[in-house]
Amino acid sequence: MAANGEIKVGSAAGRNGLPKIQTARQNGICHDDSGPTVKAQTIDELHSLQKKKSAPNTPIKGAQAAFATMCEEDRQKQQLQSISASLASLTRETGPKVVKGDPARKSETPRQVSHVSHHHYFTPTIDVSDSALKFTHVLYNLSPAELYEQAIKNEHGSFISSSGALATLSGAKTGRGSPNIEMDEHTFMVNRERAVDYLNSLDKVFVNDQFLNWDPNNQIKVRIVSARAYHSLFMHNMCIRPTPEELENFGTPDFTIYNAGQFPCNRYTHYMTSSTSVDLNLGRREMVILGTQYAGEMKKGLFSVMHYLMPKRQILSLHSGCNMGRDGDVALFFGLSGTGKTTLSTDHNRFLIGDDEHCWGEDGVSNIEGGCYAKCIDLSKEKEPDIWNAIKFGTVLENVVFDEHTREVDYTEKTVTENTRAAYPIEYIPNAKIPCVGPHPKNVILLACDAFGVLPPVSKLNLAQTMYHFISGYTALVAGTEDGIKEPQATFSACFGAAFIMLHPTKYAAMLAAKMQKHGATGWLVNTGWSGGRFVVMIYYNYYSARNEEFVPT
């Protein structure tokens, strides 16, 4: 021991070759001096040191180099001005005063804020003359981890499941609304102002700037303004996520969604039949959501927009799944709810291009989305292992029921709704093809769940037959497909997506026929339902067969 009381431990290597720890005795206590002391005076300051600065690191080249010289503060201000313009109501000259960051962070000292300057947060300089104005805090393109924190803290009914997915509730509405009806411009603007005023009244809103369509020549920029972290995470998963460089150069969006789903529409407004209204204005390229928190409305609203914009560019928009074999053979899967479209497209022996929405252009097919939206009812690891394994951290689970203690999800439980869903980035599927594009399809497969036992299991179609079944869009609704369905009911949906198409069905059919003929694609009709007997008859037949008894239908 040295005269000053220090314990001098030799600098030679310790056991297993590890360096020995240097210790010193102060006031009779040994301290580990092998690392620097954390320089934090308070717990808040210590927490601030956890978060390192996050800044774009994608190299900027060519014409974008001039933009790179812009300081971070000016770039932030440009983004805020763009968001403020999006939130401007027409009866008011300007939008709200928007600032980046969570208002819960305002308790931090200026020193701490400057130390942990974050890509998503910006502290404005507020003039005295602005002191009476309300500031709307914008949480801009937050990461899944940040959105988890916001949802858990602020949204009732949000929990982390045992698999790591965010389980949440969509409120009273657990599915998409009624069929489309026409609306005049004035009514749209009334609803738009109601939604925008509601969003402007909040302390904070979530803003996502993202893309649609993996084809870079026909990509659409979309902005989603919402009040819930759940909605922001859902769209983070379902749209194409921009790189930091693309986000810096995003500019003005091509289409904007105002999701004020917690706030009802005015039922006395013309055309309103309930407190729920989902409105599209193709001229203004805007969508307004009132009175429903079901996230699928945003996904399908954008799909409707693509059904309008893409055919004008001679690109066919399709409500279909799509995958590709190892030899480059692409297959399209058309089908209504319950026909097996998502399951068949997510085949672990083939590369997944997408499960629901695609474009067929001059260079081949491209996925419109950046994620998958799979039904979860009766999901099992044995039958659908890829979807099962995709339900992990970052995935949104809608309206599922789980064990209160273990947080394990019961996928057979239908207490909230039969329309339980999982939304996850497409890269969560191991065999997803990134980027999600492929060559021209070789097979066009039309799926029908026939409950009447009329259709054969598999039929090869000529071009005319393919168009007939494509325009018909037949399937049968059986119990478990939609609420209120007790007996099988035949249903028809033109182009397998009548709720989303914007032009006459024959327009899409003619484009599909021309592309199939040009590229030599073969049409198939696959019956994923029952053959050789009606739904009810086959159920009884299987029951008696299992008991080794003869069944005689009456």
Side-chain angles (χ1 to χ4, degrees):
M1 178 180 294
N4 60 5
E6 288 186 355
I7 301 174
K8 293 293 185 181
V9 182
S11 59
R15 188 169 55 185
N16 298 328
L18 297 175
K20 290 185 177 180
I21 296 176
Q22 302 293 324
T23 60
R25 184 180 298 277
Q26 297 174 3
N27 301 324
I29 301 174
C30 284
H31 296 272
D32 179 4
D33 295 330
S34 58
T37 304
V38 176
K39 296 179 179 178
Q41 303 301 318
T42 65
I43 292 296
D44 286 341
E45 194 172 349
L46 181 61
H47 286 171
S48 75
L49 296 175
Q50 286 181 293
K51 310 177 186 72
K52 69 177 182 179
K53 182 175 180 179
S54 174
N57 53 15
T58 305
I60 300 177
K61 302 177 182 178
Q64 297 172 344
F67 188 83
T69 61
M70 183 184 298
C71 71
E72 179 67 16
E73 185 173 342
D74 288 342
R75 186 182 297 116
Q76 296 271 9
K77 286 181 178 178
Q78 280 197 2
Q79 285 179 330
L80 292 177
Q81 288 170 357
S82 176
I83 294 169
S84 178
S86 295
L87 281 167
S89 176
L90 287 195
T91 60
R92 295 148 182 80
E93 293 183 358
T94 61
K97 295 287 184 179
V98 294
V99 296
K100 286 193 180 180
D102 190 343
R105 293 169 57 93
K106 63 187 177 184
S107 61
E108 294 179 342
T109 64
R111 176 178 172 273
Q112 293 166 343
V113 172
S114 62
H115 181 75
V116 293
S117 176
H118 194 282
H119 183 51
H120 303 298
Y121 304 112
F122 173 70
T123 304
T125 301
I126 304 175
D127 297 330
V128 175
S129 60
D130 293 334
S131 61
L133 295 177
K134 184 184 187 312
F135 279 79
T136 299
H137 291 75
V138 173
L139 303 186
Y140 183 70
N141 273 58
L142 296 191
S143 68
E146 292 171 306
L147 291 170
Y148 265 57
E149 292 169 3
Q150 292 291 329
I152 297 299
K153 285 192 297 185
N154 304 314
E155 296 180 11
H156 188 67
S158 293
F159 299 89
I160 301 176
S161 71
S162 60
S163 68
L166 179 68
T168 188
L169 297 172
S170 66
K173 305 289 184 178
T174 58
R176 284 184 286 109
S178 58
N180 302 332
I181 60 173
E182 190 175 355
M183 174 187 293
D184 60 32
E185 182 84 8
H186 174 76
T187 303
F188 175 85
M189 296 311 301
V190 169
N191 284 347
R192 180 193 187 278
E193 182 161 312
R194 190 173 176 90
V196 166
D197 284 349
Y198 169 75
L199 291 167
N200 289 345
S201 72
L202 302 175
D203 285 336
K204 58 186 175 185
V205 295
F206 298 88
V207 175
N208 294 47
D209 281 348
Q210 295 181 264
F211 297 110
L212 297 178
N213 199 354
W214 284 84
D215 175 5
N217 297 321
N218 294 285
Q219 207 161 59
I220 303 298
K221 297 187 293 184
V222 294
R223 171 169 291 163
I224 303 101
V225 185
S226 55
R228 292 192 62 180
Y230 144 53
H231 290 152
S232 186
L233 180 58
F234 177 89
M235 294 308 284
H236 169 88
N237 290 347
M238 295 309 303
C239 294
I240 300 169
R241 292 157 288 283
T243 65
E245 179 186 4
E246 289 170 334
L247 203 56
E248 287 180 358
N249 296 277
F250 193 82
T252 303
D254 300 311
F255 196 88
T256 304
I257 294 178
Y258 302 101
N259 189 341
Q262 293 122 304
F263 199 64
C265 66
N266 186 329
R267 291 175 296 160
Y268 296 98
T269 304
H270 194 37
Y271 295 105
M272 298 302 104
T273 57
S274 72
S275 60
T276 298
S277 181
V278 180
D279 311 333
L280 273 177
N281 189 319
L282 296 172
R284 293 183 58 87
R285 298 194 175 190
E286 293 179 331
M287 179 180 181
V288 170
I289 299 175
L290 290 165
T292 174
Q293 297 178 58
Y294 181 62
E297 297 286 9
M298 295 182 287
K299 165 190 163 71
K300 291 305 185 184
L302 290 176
F303 188 33
S304 299
V305 172
M306 296 297 281
H307 265 311
Y308 176 76
L309 295 177
M310 292 297 105
K312 288 184 170 294
R313 303 183 186 185
Q314 301 307 308
I315 296 170
L316 176 60
S317 49
L318 302 166
H319 186 206
S320 71
C322 182
N323 63 25
M324 185 179 77
R326 302 194 181 278
D327 296 328
D329 57 303
V330 169
L332 293 175
F333 297 88
F334 292 91
L336 300 179
S337 179
T339 58
K341 175 164 54 73
T342 299
T343 301
L344 289 173
S345 58
T346 310
D347 181 346
H348 64 272
N349 294 313
R350 294 170 64 85
F351 297 109
L352 176 66
I353 294 177
D355 75 328
D356 196 47
E357 303 174 8
H358 293 85
C359 287
W360 189 350
E362 285 300 314
D363 300 322
V365 291
S366 60
N367 190 353
I368 290 175
E369 301 179 298
C372 301
Y373 196 33
K375 275 197 169 187
C376 292
I377 196 68
D378 295 326
L379 179 68
S380 69
K381 187 175 183 179
E382 294 72 29
K383 292 181 180 178
E384 298 172 284
D386 286 342
I387 296 175
W388 177 278
N389 293 328
I391 299 176
K392 56 186 180 180
F393 179 83
T395 297
V396 175
L397 279 174
E398 285 182 322
N399 302 316
V400 297
V401 176
F402 51 83
D403 183 273
E404 183 178 21
H405 175 59
T406 66
R407 296 291 195 264
E408 290 183 2
V409 177
D410 182 357
Y411 291 108
T412 65
E413 182 60 65
K414 307 171 184 177
T415 303
V416 179
T417 178
E418 291 188 359
N419 188 34
T420 53
R421 296 272 185 165
Y424 47 86
I426 195 167
E427 57 265 28
Y428 280 19
I429 300 297
N431 58 329
K433 185 181 182 301
I434 307 293
C436 302
V437 297
H440 296 287
K442 294 299 181 185
N443 292 287
V444 174
I445 300 169
L446 311 180
L447 305 173
C449 178
D450 182 28
F452 304 101
V454 176
L455 296 179
V458 180
S459 308
K460 186 177 181 179
L461 308 177
N462 61 31
L463 198 58
Q465 291 169 331
T466 304
M467 293 309 104
Y468 172 82
H469 286 284
F470 179 71
I471 293 177
S472 299
Y474 162 72
T475 195
L477 299 178
V478 297
T481 304
E482 290 187 7
D483 289 341
I485 300 296
K486 304 300 181 184
E487 291 291 327
Q489 295 181 12
T491 187
F492 300 87
S493 182
C495 308
F496 294 94
F500 320 121
I501 60 175
M502 292 290 182
L503 309 174
H504 195 277
T506 56
K507 169 69 174 178
Y508 302 96
M511 291 182 70
L512 178 60
K515 290 185 177 296
M516 288 182 65
Q517 197 165 29
K518 180 178 180 181
H519 301 289
T522 303
W524 303 86
L525 178 64
V526 175
N527 179 10
T528 59
W530 291 263
S531 292
R534 293 177 68 246
F535 167 75
V536 176
V537 172
M538 296 301 290
I539 292 296
Y540 280 108
Y541 175 81
N542 293 335
Y543 171 77
Y544 281 97
S545 295
R547 293 164 56 96
N548 293 318
E549 298 177 10
E550 183 181 0
F551 168 62
V552 180
T554 58

